Amino acid sequence: VSLKGRSCLTLKDFNSEEIKRLLWVSGDLKHLIKQKKQYLPLLQGKSIAMIFEKRSTRTRMSTETGMALLGGHPCFLTSQDIHLGVNESCTDTARVLSGLCDLVLARVYSHSTLEELHREASIPIINGLSDLYHPIQILADFLTLQEHYGSLSGLTVSWIGDGNNVLHSFMMAAAKLGVHLRVATPKGYEPDRSVVEEAKNLSKQHGTQLILTSDPMEAAHGSNVLVTDTWISMGQEEEKKKRLKDFEGYQITMKTGSVAEPDWTFLHCLPRKTEEVDDQVFYSTRSLVFNEAENRKWTIMGLMVSLLTDYSPQIPALKF
């Protein structure tokens, strides 16, 4: 499996073997660099332009530290440095950056911005988050689950919360890894219809279960992993009062976990608010959130290495 030269806008574009390869490379880099203390300057002489329309702790830190650890140079660009489509068109920006760096990671409001960058650039584009997808978060989540459970196939993941970009990325990847997905969203906050249709097709193709409900306890029943995310994303602050009311009953607590499998764990891509999950769950031994946050670094490193080089992992393939 070679991914060199590809972009990563959505995991919809990656098949089962390609996603597994990305996770294997990520696990390999983590083992060699973190455990074995090896120096692997695989991206020496390479640079990445990081365009951030939205602020971020994990996406910025994981990409900057990961690129530097691999011998490359990260260049961070805020809307004060680069105002996409305002003082310079996306087309021109994509062509300029193609001559100045090797890779672009863009964290944007609109997914169409990424698609335009990808159309016009001659270098790989990575989706650092858009309104539609957040693929690099899901790579970190699945690496975390693979490490914890030893394999992924047959696991049941329950999403309890908003039908947002993180959920969309779960829906584009879960079935390809043999993972069942149970989704609970309040009425009016369901995932995008076209994403649902694609997810249904993937579940049918890969023989996995996809359940959509508005009942959090139904979604949590028999699950191995309970997942939620912020109820109020950047740009939705004015809707806060209404959203908090609409999401009543969706907080993940030990009661939610009581109907899950005995080995259940908890994920949250952060930052977290107590209305989404209480302290008892969030700071418990069931919570994998801080391993999940760290794995943002190893998976973005695995992705950058895979898109820019022909690197072959040195450890045995991970079990999926």
Side-chain angles (χ1 to χ4, degrees), residues 270-312:
L270 307 181
R272 156 263 186 177
K273 301 287 187 297
T274 50
E275 61 261 20
E276 299 147 9
V277 53
D278 68 8
D279 282 354
Q280 195 180 0
V281 171
F282 188 78
Y283 292 112
S284 73
T285 54
R286 295 184 181 277
S287 176
L288 305 179
V289 296
F290 298 110
N291 292 338
E292 177 188 11
E294 182 194 334
N295 279 336
R296 286 290 306 275
K297 177 165 85 168
W298 302 111
T299 47
I300 194 65
M301 288 167 69
L303 181 59
M304 292 188 297
V305 165
S306 297
L307 300 185
L308 290 178
T309 75
D310 292 311
Y311 178 74
S312 292

Side-chain angles (χ1 to χ4, degrees), residues 8-11 127-129 133-140 165 169:
C8 180
L9 304 191
T10 164
L11 294 174
N127 178 357
L129 174 141
Y133 294 114
H134 196 359
I136 57 177
Q137 178 62 53
I138 297 313
L139 292 174
N165 49 5
S169 287

Side-chain angles (χ1 to χ4, degrees), residues 22-32 143 298 315 318:
L22 288 170
L23 295 174
W24 181 20
V25 172
S26 302
D28 172 82
L29 295 176
K30 184 176 183 179
H31 176 76
L32 296 175
L143 181 63
W298 302 111
I315 63 166
L318 301 182

Side-chain angles (χ1 to χ4, degrees), residues 7-131:
S7 285
C8 180
L9 304 191
T10 164
L11 294 174
K12 179 181 178 180
D13 300 334
F14 290 74
N15 64 32
S16 174
E17 293 311 307
E18 289 167 340
I19 295 172
K20 289 175 183 176
R21 175 76 178 203
L22 288 170
L23 295 174
W24 181 20
V25 172
S26 302
D28 172 82
L29 295 176
K30 184 176 183 179
H31 176 76
L32 296 175
I33 296 170
K34 186 179 181 181
Q35 267 84 43
K36 296 293 185 182
K37 309 297 182 189
Q38 291 186 22
Y39 177 52
L40 294 176
L42 299 171
L43 299 182
Q44 192 163 9
K46 305 285 188 187
S47 60
I48 181 169
M50 300 164 55
I51 301 172
F52 278 51
E53 291 184 343
K54 285 185 168 188
R55 66 185 182 276
S56 165
T57 301
R58 281 147 295 276
T59 303
R60 180 176 179 181
M61 284 298 297
S62 59
T63 308
E64 285 201 12
T65 58
M67 190 67 170
L69 204 49
L70 292 163
H73 182 75
C75 304
F76 181 68
L77 302 164
T78 70
S79 53
Q80 261 124 36
D81 306 299
I82 183 169
H83 211 170
L84 278 177
V86 178
N87 64 332
E88 187 167 30
S89 69
C90 275
T91 295
D92 292 0
T93 298
R95 294 181 185 185
V96 167
L97 292 177
S98 294
L100 296 174
C101 59
D102 304 280
L103 188 61
V104 172
L105 178 139
R107 185 175 170 88
V108 299
Y109 283 98
S110 172
H111 194 75
S112 62
T113 301
L114 286 165
E115 291 173 332
E116 188 173 352
L117 286 171
H118 172 63
R119 256 195 326 271
E120 300 297 336
S122 55
I123 56 175
I125 306 294
I126 295 174
N127 178 357
L129 174 141
S130 72
D131 58 344

